[in-house]
Amino acid sequence: MADDWQTVPNKPARTTGRGRGRGRGRDNQFRSSSRTTAQTDGNWRSSTQPSRSRSRAPAPAISPNNDQFKLQTSNMFELHVGRSSRARKNEALRDFFEANDESDGEETFDAIDDNDLDVSDYESEDDNEATEFPPVPVSVECAFCADRVRFESAVELSKHLKTEHQLVFKNLGHMVLFLQRYVDAWARELKAVDVASVAVKDADGPVYHIDASVCDRDREIRASVQKEELDEVLRLQSEERRGVAQEPRKCLFCKLVCTDRADLFRHGYREHSFNIGLPDNLVRVNEFLALLTSRLNAQQCVYCEKTFTSAAVLRKHMRKKKHFKISSHNRLYDRFYV
């Protein structure tokens, strides 16, 4: 019996060269093994394996792992994707959004998510541009007339007092928040005293000028009227804190319902950077919030009062320009602050 070392086959001789023999030997070995396998199964040209093609394969069908399926699943659970969302820029999902938008109405301001809002294509205007606000609307009756004629602006009242009653009150616009009290107080005063004793007559005509800088009585009347108005405002503010301030209210910028007024302003500042100053100084809060809501529903910015074409464009403007606040130059909101 031969030894074990005699039964081991001899290794093939290594070919010399720069690697050509080694590579050719392996290729020939691979071809021979493939040819042997094909011959055992039949003719290799008629095998069941598909032939390779240079054309590209068709696009894969929708699978549970792609984005469209995820959005469809999210839509089943009522996860709203806003019309200004970044996801809408995906070309593959355009048909999906268009099909779902046909049944939806116009997007409201509070349905837009700031975190998902794309403001990259919004062109901001000059931040240094001065905004001119309209005069504060008033409703005041002339206490010097027997029939108490009503006026809707301080300018119209000033013209009426000059032409009909020969009276000019300097800086009448400073008393616009309590204009009716001021006019009523002077009507009672001029019934008791002569106008020449408290006013300065114009040299060009029979017009009397009442100026707080030279008239002590005017300063007293202004201080008295302001104190009466302040007492009334503080009384109203105290009633609101015990009553309507404890009621729940929905946020102006999202769907969240806050438990009370303090929670509402705290949420607005933390989540939306909505700055209204000190909330403790507010009065007539329900009227204040109703005014802001009407502005937003009309696609109007609460800071610069510019009107836009849609809620999405308004939201982009307010976020890009940081207009989630009340302008300190807008005298319309003065009556809501103590």
Side-chain angles (χ1 to χ4, degrees), residues 108-115 249-258 263-264 267-272 274 293 296 315 324:
T108 57
F109 185 85
D110 55 2
I112 303 174
D113 186 6
D114 283 334
N115 297 324
R249 178 112 187 181
K250 189 179 75 66
C251 176
L252 297 172
F253 310 106
C254 66
K255 298 291 187 179
L256 180 67
V257 178
C258 301
D263 186 30
L264 173 67
H267 163 78
Y269 181 76
R270 291 179 178 178
E271 300 297 331
H272 307 288
F274 182 52
T293 303
L296 296 176
R315 193 94 179 199
F324 282 88

PDB file of all heavy atoms in Angstrom, residues 108-115 249-258 263-264 267-272 274 293 296 315 324:
ATOM      1  N   THR A 108     -56.011  77.997   5.964  1.00  0.00           N
ATOM      2  CA  THR A 108     -56.146  79.098   6.900  1.00  0.00           C
ATOM      3  C   THR A 108     -54.798  79.424   7.523  1.00  0.00           C
ATOM      4  O   THR A 108     -53.855  78.641   7.464  1.00  0.00           O
ATOM      5  CB  THR A 108     -57.161  78.746   7.997  1.00  0.00           C
ATOM      6  OG1 THR A 108     -56.734  77.547   8.662  1.00  0.00           O
ATOM      7  CG2 THR A 108     -58.544  78.530   7.390  1.00  0.00           C
ATOM      8  N   PHE A 109     -54.752  80.610   8.167  1.00  0.00           N
ATOM      9  CA  PHE A 109     -53.482  81.069   8.730  1.00  0.00           C
ATOM     10  C   PHE A 109     -53.007  80.171   9.858  1.00  0.00           C
ATOM     11  O   PHE A 109     -51.825  79.887   9.985  1.00  0.00           O
ATOM     12  CB  PHE A 109     -53.650  82.507   9.218  1.00  0.00           C
ATOM     13  CG  PHE A 109     -52.385  83.135   9.721  1.00  0.00           C
ATOM     14  CD1 PHE A 109     -51.497  83.732   8.845  1.00  0.00           C
ATOM     15  CD2 PHE A 109     -52.071  83.119  11.067  1.00  0.00           C
ATOM     16  CE1 PHE A 109     -50.332  84.313   9.292  1.00  0.00           C
ATOM     17  CE2 PHE A 109     -50.910  83.701  11.538  1.00  0.00           C
ATOM     18  CZ  PHE A 109     -50.047  84.289  10.641  1.00  0.00           C
ATOM     19  N   ASP A 110     -53.927  79.707  10.713  1.00  0.00           N
ATOM     20  CA  ASP A 110     -53.529  78.915  11.871  1.00  0.00           C
ATOM     21  C   ASP A 110     -53.268  77.458  11.530  1.00  0.00           C
ATOM     22  O   ASP A 110     -52.910  76.679  12.411  1.00  0.00           O
ATOM     23  CB  ASP A 110     -54.593  79.001  12.965  1.00  0.00           C
ATOM     24  CG  ASP A 110     -55.966  78.588  12.468  1.00  0.00           C
ATOM     25  OD1 ASP A 110     -56.077  78.204  11.289  1.00  0.00           O
ATOM     26  OD2 ASP A 110     -56.930  78.647  13.249  1.00  0.00           O
ATOM     27  N   ALA A 111     -53.451  77.051  10.244  1.00  0.00           N
ATOM     28  CA  ALA A 111     -53.176  75.671   9.841  1.00  0.00           C
ATOM     29  C   ALA A 111     -51.770  75.487   9.285  1.00  0.00           C
ATOM     30  O   ALA A 111     -51.405  74.392   8.899  1.00  0.00           O
ATOM     31  CB  ALA A 111     -54.202  75.221   8.790  1.00  0.00           C
ATOM     32  N   ILE A 112     -50.965  76.544   9.265  1.00  0.00           N
ATOM     33  CA  ILE A 112     -49.616  76.485   8.705  1.00  0.00           C
ATOM     34  C   ILE A 112     -48.623  76.274   9.831  1.00  0.00           C
ATOM     35  O   ILE A 112     -48.686  76.943  10.863  1.00  0.00           O
ATOM     36  CB  ILE A 112     -49.288  77.781   7.937  1.00  0.00           C
ATOM     37  CG1 ILE A 112     -50.327  78.011   6.838  1.00  0.00           C
ATOM     38  CG2 ILE A 112     -47.895  77.718   7.328  1.00  0.00           C
ATOM     39  CD1 ILE A 112     -50.165  79.329   6.118  1.00  0.00           C
ATOM     40  N   ASP A 113     -47.697  75.327   9.618  1.00  0.00           N
ATOM     41  CA  ASP A 113     -46.678  75.029  10.617  1.00  0.00           C
ATOM     42  C   ASP A 113     -45.428  75.832  10.305  1.00  0.00           C
ATOM     43  O   ASP A 113     -44.868  75.737   9.214  1.00  0.00           O
ATOM     44  CB  ASP A 113     -46.363  73.527  10.600  1.00  0.00           C
ATOM     45  CG  ASP A 113     -45.419  73.130  11.725  1.00  0.00           C
ATOM     46  OD1 ASP A 113     -45.106  74.001  12.561  1.00  0.00           O
ATOM     47  OD2 ASP A 113     -44.993  71.962  11.755  1.00  0.00           O
ATOM     48  N   ASP A 114     -44.981  76.634  11.276  1.00  0.00           N
ATOM     49  CA  ASP A 114     -43.781  77.445  11.077  1.00  0.00           C
ATOM     50  C   ASP A 114     -42.539  76.599  10.884  1.00  0.00           C
ATOM     51  O   ASP A 114     -41.639  76.961  10.131  1.00  0.00           O
ATOM     52  CB  ASP A 114     -43.573  78.384  12.269  1.00  0.00           C
ATOM     53  CG  ASP A 114     -44.506  79.573  12.224  1.00  0.00           C
ATOM     54  OD1 ASP A 114     -44.921  79.941  11.118  1.00  0.00           O
ATOM     55  OD2 ASP A 114     -44.834  80.116  13.280  1.00  0.00           O
ATOM     56  N   ASN A 115     -42.467  75.449  11.556  1.00  0.00           N
ATOM     57  CA  ASN A 115     -41.289  74.605  11.439  1.00  0.00           C
ATOM     58  C   ASN A 115     -41.172  73.964  10.069  1.00  0.00           C
ATOM     59  O   ASN A 115     -40.076  73.571   9.657  1.00  0.00           O
ATOM     60  CB  ASN A 115     -41.326  73.511  12.514  1.00  0.00           C
ATOM     61  CG  ASN A 115     -41.273  74.088  13.909  1.00  0.00           C
ATOM     62  OD1 ASN A 115     -40.600  75.088  14.141  1.00  0.00           O
ATOM     63  ND2 ASN A 115     -41.996  73.471  14.838  1.00  0.00           N
ATOM     64  N   ARG A 249     -58.989  79.737  25.383  1.00  0.00           N
ATOM     65  CA  ARG A 249     -58.980  80.473  24.119  1.00  0.00           C
ATOM     66  C   ARG A 249     -57.990  79.817  23.165  1.00  0.00           C
ATOM     67  O   ARG A 249     -56.914  79.385  23.579  1.00  0.00           O
ATOM     68  CB  ARG A 249     -58.587  81.925  24.353  1.00  0.00           C
ATOM     69  CG  ARG A 249     -58.490  82.774  23.102  1.00  0.00           C
ATOM     70  CD  ARG A 249     -59.558  83.794  23.055  1.00  0.00           C
ATOM     71  NE  ARG A 249     -59.595  84.517  21.807  1.00  0.00           N
ATOM     72  CZ  ARG A 249     -60.436  85.485  21.530  1.00  0.00           C
ATOM     73  NH1 ARG A 249     -61.325  85.841  22.441  1.00  0.00           N
ATOM     74  NH2 ARG A 249     -60.432  86.106  20.369  1.00  0.00           N
ATOM     75  N   LYS A 250     -58.362  79.761  21.877  1.00  0.00           N
ATOM     76  CA  LYS A 250     -57.489  79.153  20.868  1.00  0.00           C
ATOM     77  C   LYS A 250     -56.395  80.135  20.469  1.00  0.00           C
ATOM     78  O   LYS A 250     -56.607  81.338  20.411  1.00  0.00           O
ATOM     79  CB  LYS A 250     -58.294  78.758  19.633  1.00  0.00           C
ATOM     80  CG  LYS A 250     -57.497  77.918  18.621  1.00  0.00           C
ATOM     81  CD  LYS A 250     -58.343  77.547  17.435  1.00  0.00           C
ATOM     82  CE  LYS A 250     -58.548  78.736  16.520  1.00  0.00           C
ATOM     83  NZ  LYS A 250     -57.277  79.158  15.886  1.00  0.00           N
ATOM     84  N   CYS A 251     -55.224  79.588  20.182  1.00  0.00           N
ATOM     85  CA  CYS A 251     -54.080  80.393  19.774  1.00  0.00           C
ATOM     86  C   CYS A 251     -54.368  81.071  18.435  1.00  0.00           C
ATOM     87  O   CYS A 251     -55.074  80.524  17.581  1.00  0.00           O
ATOM     88  CB  CYS A 251     -52.823  79.532  19.691  1.00  0.00           C
ATOM     89  SG  CYS A 251     -51.363  80.403  19.081  1.00  0.00           S
ATOM     90  N   LEU A 252     -53.801  82.250  18.243  1.00  0.00           N
ATOM     91  CA  LEU A 252     -53.995  82.989  16.997  1.00  0.00           C
ATOM     92  C   LEU A 252     -53.248  82.361  15.825  1.00  0.00           C
ATOM     93  O   LEU A 252     -53.634  82.558  14.672  1.00  0.00           O
ATOM     94  CB  LEU A 252     -53.517  84.436  17.171  1.00  0.00           C
ATOM     95  CG  LEU A 252     -54.258  85.300  18.188  1.00  0.00           C
ATOM     96  CD1 LEU A 252     -53.524  86.612  18.372  1.00  0.00           C
ATOM     97  CD2 LEU A 252     -55.685  85.545  17.752  1.00  0.00           C
ATOM     98  N   PHE A 253     -52.189  81.600  16.097  1.00  0.00           N
ATOM     99  CA  PHE A 253     -51.288  81.144  15.047  1.00  0.00           C
ATOM    100  C   PHE A 253     -51.268  79.638  14.858  1.00  0.00           C
ATOM    101  O   PHE A 253     -50.575  79.146  13.965  1.00  0.00           O
ATOM    102  CB  PHE A 253     -49.868  81.631  15.344  1.00  0.00           C
ATOM    103  CG  PHE A 253     -49.788  83.094  15.657  1.00  0.00           C
ATOM    104  CD1 PHE A 253     -49.583  83.540  16.946  1.00  0.00           C
ATOM    105  CD2 PHE A 253     -49.944  84.039  14.652  1.00  0.00           C
ATOM    106  CE1 PHE A 253     -49.516  84.891  17.240  1.00  0.00           C
ATOM    107  CE2 PHE A 253     -49.891  85.394  14.931  1.00  0.00           C
ATOM    108  CZ  PHE A 253     -49.668  85.816  16.227  1.00  0.00           C
ATOM    109  N   CYS A 254     -51.974  78.880  15.701  1.00  0.00           N
ATOM    110  CA  CYS A 254     -52.040  77.432  15.541  1.00  0.00           C
ATOM    111  C   CYS A 254     -53.369  76.940  16.108  1.00  0.00           C
ATOM    112  O   CYS A 254     -54.215  77.725  16.514  1.00  0.00           O
ATOM    113  CB  CYS A 254     -50.840  76.742  16.220  1.00  0.00           C
ATOM    114  SG  CYS A 254     -50.807  76.905  18.022  1.00  0.00           S
ATOM    115  N   LYS A 255     -53.547  75.623  16.146  1.00  0.00           N
ATOM    116  CA  LYS A 255     -54.806  75.025  16.566  1.00  0.00           C
ATOM    117  C   LYS A 255     -54.884  74.758  18.062  1.00  0.00           C
ATOM    118  O   LYS A 255     -55.900  74.258  18.550  1.00  0.00           O
ATOM    119  CB  LYS A 255     -55.007  73.693  15.821  1.00  0.00           C
ATOM    120  CG  LYS A 255     -55.101  73.826  14.311  1.00  0.00           C
ATOM    121  CD  LYS A 255     -56.372  74.526  13.887  1.00  0.00           C
ATOM    122  CE  LYS A 255     -56.533  74.511  12.374  1.00  0.00           C
ATOM    123  NZ  LYS A 255     -57.785  75.168  11.936  1.00  0.00           N
ATOM    124  N   LEU A 256     -53.843  75.082  18.805  1.00  0.00           N
ATOM    125  CA  LEU A 256     -53.821  74.785  20.237  1.00  0.00           C
ATOM    126  C   LEU A 256     -54.824  75.658  20.991  1.00  0.00           C
ATOM    127  O   LEU A 256     -54.900  76.859  20.760  1.00  0.00           O
ATOM    128  CB  LEU A 256     -52.413  74.993  20.791  1.00  0.00           C
ATOM    129  CG  LEU A 256     -52.236  74.728  22.289  1.00  0.00           C
ATOM    130  CD1 LEU A 256     -52.435  73.246  22.586  1.00  0.00           C
ATOM    131  CD2 LEU A 256     -50.881  75.204  22.765  1.00  0.00           C
ATOM    132  N   VAL A 257     -55.555  75.033  21.897  1.00  0.00           N
ATOM    133  CA  VAL A 257     -56.489  75.742  22.772  1.00  0.00           C
ATOM    134  C   VAL A 257     -55.834  75.862  24.142  1.00  0.00           C
ATOM    135  O   VAL A 257     -55.552  74.854  24.799  1.00  0.00           O
ATOM    136  CB  VAL A 257     -57.835  75.008  22.870  1.00  0.00           C
ATOM    137  CG1 VAL A 257     -58.772  75.729  23.823  1.00  0.00           C
ATOM    138  CG2 VAL A 257     -58.466  74.885  21.481  1.00  0.00           C
ATOM    139  N   CYS A 258     -55.602  77.089  24.577  1.00  0.00           N
ATOM    140  CA  CYS A 258     -54.938  77.351  25.855  1.00  0.00           C
ATOM    141  C   CYS A 258     -55.979  77.422  26.967  1.00  0.00           C
ATOM    142  O   CYS A 258     -57.140  77.772  26.743  1.00  0.00           O
ATOM    143  CB  CYS A 258     -54.133  78.641  25.790  1.00  0.00           C
ATOM    144  SG  CYS A 258     -52.861  78.639  24.505  1.00  0.00           S
ATOM    145  N   ASP A 263     -51.889  81.588  29.871  1.00  0.00           N
ATOM    146  CA  ASP A 263     -51.316  80.485  29.103  1.00  0.00           C
ATOM    147  C   ASP A 263     -51.283  80.814  27.618  1.00  0.00           C
ATOM    148  O   ASP A 263     -50.361  80.419  26.898  1.00  0.00           O
ATOM    149  CB  ASP A 263     -52.127  79.223  29.359  1.00  0.00           C
ATOM    150  CG  ASP A 263     -51.508  77.996  28.709  1.00  0.00           C
ATOM    151  OD1 ASP A 263     -50.267  77.957  28.573  1.00  0.00           O
ATOM    152  OD2 ASP A 263     -52.261  77.081  28.335  1.00  0.00           O
ATOM    153  N   LEU A 264     -52.280  81.559  27.145  1.00  0.00           N
ATOM    154  CA  LEU A 264     -52.331  81.941  25.734  1.00  0.00           C
ATOM    155  C   LEU A 264     -51.142  82.825  25.349  1.00  0.00           C
ATOM    156  O   LEU A 264     -50.460  82.568  24.353  1.00  0.00           O
ATOM    157  CB  LEU A 264     -53.648  82.658  25.443  1.00  0.00           C
ATOM    158  CG  LEU A 264     -53.796  83.281  24.058  1.00  0.00           C
ATOM    159  CD1 LEU A 264     -53.855  82.197  22.984  1.00  0.00           C
ATOM    160  CD2 LEU A 264     -55.034  84.162  23.993  1.00  0.00           C
ATOM    161  N   HIS A 267     -47.791  80.871  25.636  1.00  0.00           N
ATOM    162  CA  HIS A 267     -47.601  79.992  24.476  1.00  0.00           C
ATOM    163  C   HIS A 267     -47.250  80.792  23.230  1.00  0.00           C
ATOM    164  O   HIS A 267     -46.370  80.394  22.459  1.00  0.00           O
ATOM    165  CB  HIS A 267     -48.875  79.174  24.247  1.00  0.00           C
ATOM    166  CG  HIS A 267     -48.954  78.542  22.893  1.00  0.00           C
ATOM    167  ND1 HIS A 267     -48.266  77.399  22.550  1.00  0.00           N
ATOM    168  CD2 HIS A 267     -49.629  78.927  21.775  1.00  0.00           C
ATOM    169  CE1 HIS A 267     -48.520  77.086  21.292  1.00  0.00           C
ATOM    170  NE2 HIS A 267     -49.337  77.988  20.792  1.00  0.00           N
ATOM    171  N   GLY A 268     -47.917  81.917  23.018  1.00  0.00           N
ATOM    172  CA  GLY A 268     -47.633  82.727  21.840  1.00  0.00           C
ATOM    173  C   GLY A 268     -46.209  83.255  21.814  1.00  0.00           C
ATOM    174  O   GLY A 268     -45.586  83.344  20.750  1.00  0.00           O
ATOM    175  N   TYR A 269     -45.680  83.583  22.991  1.00  0.00           N
ATOM    176  CA  TYR A 269     -44.309  84.108  23.046  1.00  0.00           C
ATOM    177  C   TYR A 269     -43.283  82.992  22.878  1.00  0.00           C
ATOM    178  O   TYR A 269     -42.285  83.149  22.166  1.00  0.00           O
ATOM    179  CB  TYR A 269     -44.091  84.830  24.367  1.00  0.00           C
ATOM    180  CG  TYR A 269     -42.710  85.424  24.512  1.00  0.00           C
ATOM    181  CD1 TYR A 269     -42.351  86.589  23.840  1.00  0.00           C
ATOM    182  CD2 TYR A 269     -41.753  84.807  25.317  1.00  0.00           C
ATOM    183  CE1 TYR A 269     -41.079  87.134  23.960  1.00  0.00           C
ATOM    184  CE2 TYR A 269     -40.489  85.345  25.444  1.00  0.00           C
ATOM    185  CZ  TYR A 269     -40.154  86.501  24.769  1.00  0.00           C
ATOM    186  OH  TYR A 269     -38.895  87.022  24.888  1.00  0.00           O
ATOM    187  N   ARG A 270     -43.504  81.850  23.496  1.00  0.00           N
ATOM    188  CA  ARG A 270     -42.512  80.772  23.454  1.00  0.00           C
ATOM    189  C   ARG A 270     -42.516  80.034  22.130  1.00  0.00           C
ATOM    190  O   ARG A 270     -41.448  79.699  21.597  1.00  0.00           O
ATOM    191  CB  ARG A 270     -42.786  79.782  24.596  1.00  0.00           C
ATOM    192  CG  ARG A 270     -42.512  80.357  25.983  1.00  0.00           C
ATOM    193  CD  ARG A 270     -42.827  79.321  27.052  1.00  0.00           C
ATOM    194  NE  ARG A 270     -42.522  79.843  28.392  1.00  0.00           N
ATOM    195  CZ  ARG A 270     -42.746  79.151  29.517  1.00  0.00           C
ATOM    196  NH1 ARG A 270     -43.269  77.929  29.460  1.00  0.00           N
ATOM    197  NH2 ARG A 270     -42.445  79.693  30.676  1.00  0.00           N
ATOM    198  N   GLU A 271     -43.684  79.764  21.589  1.00  0.00           N
ATOM    199  CA  GLU A 271     -43.782  78.933  20.392  1.00  0.00           C
ATOM    200  C   GLU A 271     -43.772  79.742  19.102  1.00  0.00           C
ATOM    201  O   GLU A 271     -43.299  79.256  18.076  1.00  0.00           O
ATOM    202  CB  GLU A 271     -45.059  78.081  20.449  1.00  0.00           C
ATOM    203  CG  GLU A 271     -45.128  77.155  21.646  1.00  0.00           C
ATOM    204  CD  GLU A 271     -44.014  76.119  21.633  1.00  0.00           C
ATOM    205  OE1 GLU A 271     -43.560  75.763  20.532  1.00  0.00           O
ATOM    206  OE2 GLU A 271     -43.605  75.669  22.725  1.00  0.00           O
ATOM    207  N   HIS A 272     -44.306  80.971  19.120  1.00  0.00           N
ATOM    208  CA  HIS A 272     -44.426  81.769  17.895  1.00  0.00           C
ATOM    209  C   HIS A 272     -43.667  83.092  17.969  1.00  0.00           C
ATOM    210  O   HIS A 272     -43.738  83.874  17.008  1.00  0.00           O
ATOM    211  CB  HIS A 272     -45.900  82.046  17.592  1.00  0.00           C
ATOM    212  CG  HIS A 272     -46.755  80.819  17.557  1.00  0.00           C
ATOM    213  ND1 HIS A 272     -46.688  79.897  16.528  1.00  0.00           N
ATOM    214  CD2 HIS A 272     -47.677  80.357  18.440  1.00  0.00           C
ATOM    215  CE1 HIS A 272     -47.554  78.912  16.772  1.00  0.00           C
ATOM    216  NE2 HIS A 272     -48.165  79.171  17.920  1.00  0.00           N
ATOM    217  N   PHE A 274     -44.392  85.688  19.534  1.00  0.00           N
ATOM    218  CA  PHE A 274     -45.370  86.764  19.437  1.00  0.00           C
ATOM    219  C   PHE A 274     -45.185  87.697  20.617  1.00  0.00           C
ATOM    220  O   PHE A 274     -45.478  87.338  21.761  1.00  0.00           O
ATOM    221  CB  PHE A 274     -46.782  86.191  19.403  1.00  0.00           C
ATOM    222  CG  PHE A 274     -47.857  87.229  19.260  1.00  0.00           C
ATOM    223  CD1 PHE A 274     -47.799  88.161  18.241  1.00  0.00           C
ATOM    224  CD2 PHE A 274     -48.920  87.281  20.144  1.00  0.00           C
ATOM    225  CE1 PHE A 274     -48.782  89.126  18.103  1.00  0.00           C
ATOM    226  CE2 PHE A 274     -49.914  88.226  20.014  1.00  0.00           C
ATOM    227  CZ  PHE A 274     -49.832  89.151  18.989  1.00  0.00           C
ATOM    228  N   THR A 293     -57.391  88.757  15.194  1.00  0.00           N
ATOM    229  CA  THR A 293     -57.932  87.642  14.412  1.00  0.00           C
ATOM    230  C   THR A 293     -58.511  88.127  13.094  1.00  0.00           C
ATOM    231  O   THR A 293     -58.327  87.498  12.045  1.00  0.00           O
ATOM    232  CB  THR A 293     -58.998  86.904  15.224  1.00  0.00           C
ATOM    233  OG1 THR A 293     -58.425  86.449  16.456  1.00  0.00           O
ATOM    234  CG2 THR A 293     -59.534  85.709  14.464  1.00  0.00           C
ATOM    235  N   LEU A 296     -55.641  88.833  10.652  1.00  0.00           N
ATOM    236  CA  LEU A 296     -55.035  87.623  10.108  1.00  0.00           C
ATOM    237  C   LEU A 296     -55.968  86.927   9.124  1.00  0.00           C
ATOM    238  O   LEU A 296     -55.509  86.384   8.111  1.00  0.00           O
ATOM    239  CB  LEU A 296     -54.659  86.673  11.248  1.00  0.00           C
ATOM    240  CG  LEU A 296     -53.585  87.188  12.218  1.00  0.00           C
ATOM    241  CD1 LEU A 296     -53.376  86.202  13.341  1.00  0.00           C
ATOM    242  CD2 LEU A 296     -52.276  87.469  11.491  1.00  0.00           C
ATOM    243  N   ARG A 315     -47.783  84.340   6.147  1.00  0.00           N
ATOM    244  CA  ARG A 315     -46.982  83.652   7.165  1.00  0.00           C
ATOM    245  C   ARG A 315     -45.486  83.759   6.844  1.00  0.00           C
ATOM    246  O   ARG A 315     -44.657  83.947   7.734  1.00  0.00           O
ATOM    247  CB  ARG A 315     -47.407  82.193   7.236  1.00  0.00           C
ATOM    248  CG  ARG A 315     -46.888  81.451   8.458  1.00  0.00           C
ATOM    249  CD  ARG A 315     -47.909  81.490   9.556  1.00  0.00           C
ATOM    250  NE  ARG A 315     -47.481  80.774  10.740  1.00  0.00           N
ATOM    251  CZ  ARG A 315     -48.309  80.356  11.691  1.00  0.00           C
ATOM    252  NH1 ARG A 315     -49.587  80.595  11.604  1.00  0.00           N
ATOM    253  NH2 ARG A 315     -47.858  79.738  12.755  1.00  0.00           N
ATOM    254  N   PHE A 324     -44.062  89.088  14.103  1.00  0.00           N
ATOM    255  CA  PHE A 324     -44.968  88.523  15.093  1.00  0.00           C
ATOM    256  C   PHE A 324     -44.952  89.424  16.336  1.00  0.00           C
ATOM    257  O   PHE A 324     -44.541  89.025  17.427  1.00  0.00           O
ATOM    258  CB  PHE A 324     -44.539  87.097  15.454  1.00  0.00           C
ATOM    259  CG  PHE A 324     -44.929  86.076  14.434  1.00  0.00           C
ATOM    260  CD1 PHE A 324     -44.097  85.796  13.363  1.00  0.00           C
ATOM    261  CD2 PHE A 324     -46.125  85.398  14.523  1.00  0.00           C
ATOM    262  CE1 PHE A 324     -44.441  84.854  12.419  1.00  0.00           C
ATOM    263  CE2 PHE A 324     -46.492  84.456  13.583  1.00  0.00           C
ATOM    264  CZ  PHE A 324     -45.651  84.181  12.520  1.00  0.00           C
TER     265      PHE A 324
END
